[in-house]
Amino acid sequence: MAIESINAYRDEIVHQDIKNLKDLEEFRLKWLSKKGILAELFSEMKNVPAEERKNYGLEVNSLKQFVEQRFDEFSELLQKSKEVSAKANIDLTLDGTPISIGSSHPLTIIRNQMVDIFASLGFVISEGPEIVDDWHNFTALNMPEDHPARDMQDTFFISQDPVTVMRTHTSSVQVMVMQSQAPPIRTISPGRVFRKDSDATHSPVFHQVEGLFVDEAVSFADLKQTLFYFVQEMFGEGTKTRFRPSYFPFTEPSAEMDILGLRYNPETGKQEETWIEVLGCGMVDPAVLDNCGIDSRKYSGFAFGIGIERMAMVKYNIQDIRLFYENDLRFLEQFVSEV
Ligand code: DAH
């Protein structure tokens, strides 16, 4: 009987689950303490018949060794897991690891500033598709097929459908607005545009904000004052400006606006004060108004086109347009939105 119960004990020990120090102490008390099972088994020895005693003694001793071995194994295991959790221990008094919430892209920052400035003058946003037909991008804007001005804005054509183009300017939105709305019109169209152009200051994909104002008796003075106000807001009060005569097929007269600012001169390695071109503008050509269904005898208007990359390059003094698209965090993290 005694031997069978020893084997049953062995079985029990094998299935014993020890998860923590409390379990381990219970295990020790149950088996190894003075009042534990092993002590009891040893004291039982005297009651075992003499001829079985030797065998019984061997069995109890081997059970004792087994219990001690299990005890050592468990305490070692618990010790190890204690060390591991001590290492992973979280000190709640320490500062947390900062979570970067990111920042707006510089082009988004500039675009938002531009939109805000024009919104404060009552301009509303109009958006249009990035893929348009040839008529909206060129012909309606006084650039019929074979017009040499088309060369200034070479774009990506779809070979199987040559009348469909990726818009070269957001002026195509101005056409859509004039076709669908009656004056007074006061709108800006921010958006992505495409040209077959690529170097340090030109990218095949870039962004513009186009503006359009159409009403009765709109004059060049309105155009000048609007853009002068914009530049003061964008680059700071007191920024000097000048208008230079220029040519765009869709405006007459046309002008380019420069601001006096600092520009890095690679030859001298210095920042030098110089006139920097920031935008194109002009009075909407009456033929364009008529093309879009607006009576040019009654209405006049002005329009302008501003490159968002160009604005950002001038404002932040950036030499290479490609930096905007490379997604290098060392570059991007330098810009913080003011809004
Ligand atoms: N569409 C012109 C361009 O991309 C920019 C421009 C110039 C737009 C004069 C205008 C404007 O509306 O009046 O080069």
Side-chain angles (χ1 to χ4, degrees), residues 153 169 171 174 195 208 210-211 248 250-251 280-282 303-305:
Q153 299 189 1
H169 48 186
S171 308
Q174 117 178 198
R195 286 189 202 175
Q208 286 187 333
E210 152 95 15
F248 297 104
F250 32 85
T251 45
C281 58
F304 54 88

Side-chain angles (χ1 to χ4, degrees), residues 137-138 140-144 147-150 152-153 168-169 171 174 195 208 210 220 223 227 243-258 277-288 302-307 310:
N137 196 79
F138 294 121
L141 290 159
N142 262 353
M143 281 182 275
H147 192 291
R150 283 192 176 201
M152 296 197 300
Q153 299 189 1
T168 57
H169 48 186
S171 308
Q174 117 178 198
R195 286 189 202 175
Q208 286 187 333
E210 152 95 15
F220 201 89
L223 161 67
L227 294 177
F243 281 80
R244 272 181 299 105
S246 183
Y247 170 75
F248 297 104
F250 32 85
T251 45
E252 181 58 36
S254 304
E256 273 165 339
M257 189 185 190
D258 300 339
E277 181 200 323
V278 289
L279 57 88
C281 58
M283 301 306 291
V284 182
D285 191 309
V288 173
F302 68 77
F304 54 88
I306 313 175
R310 170 150 274 267

Side-chain angles (χ1 to χ4, degrees), residues 129-130 137 153 155-156 166-173 189-196 203-210 306-309 325:
E130 290 174 3
N137 196 79
Q153 299 189 1
T155 184
F156 300 99
M166 293 171 85
R167 67 180 180 193
T168 57
H169 48 186
T170 49
S171 308
S172 55
V173 183
S189 321
R192 193 178 292 145
V193 297
F194 311 87
R195 286 189 202 175
K196 209 165 140 272
S203 158
V205 181
F206 64 107
H207 302 81
Q208 286 187 333
V209 172
E210 152 95 15
I306 313 175
I308 300 181
E309 278 83 351
Y325 318 114

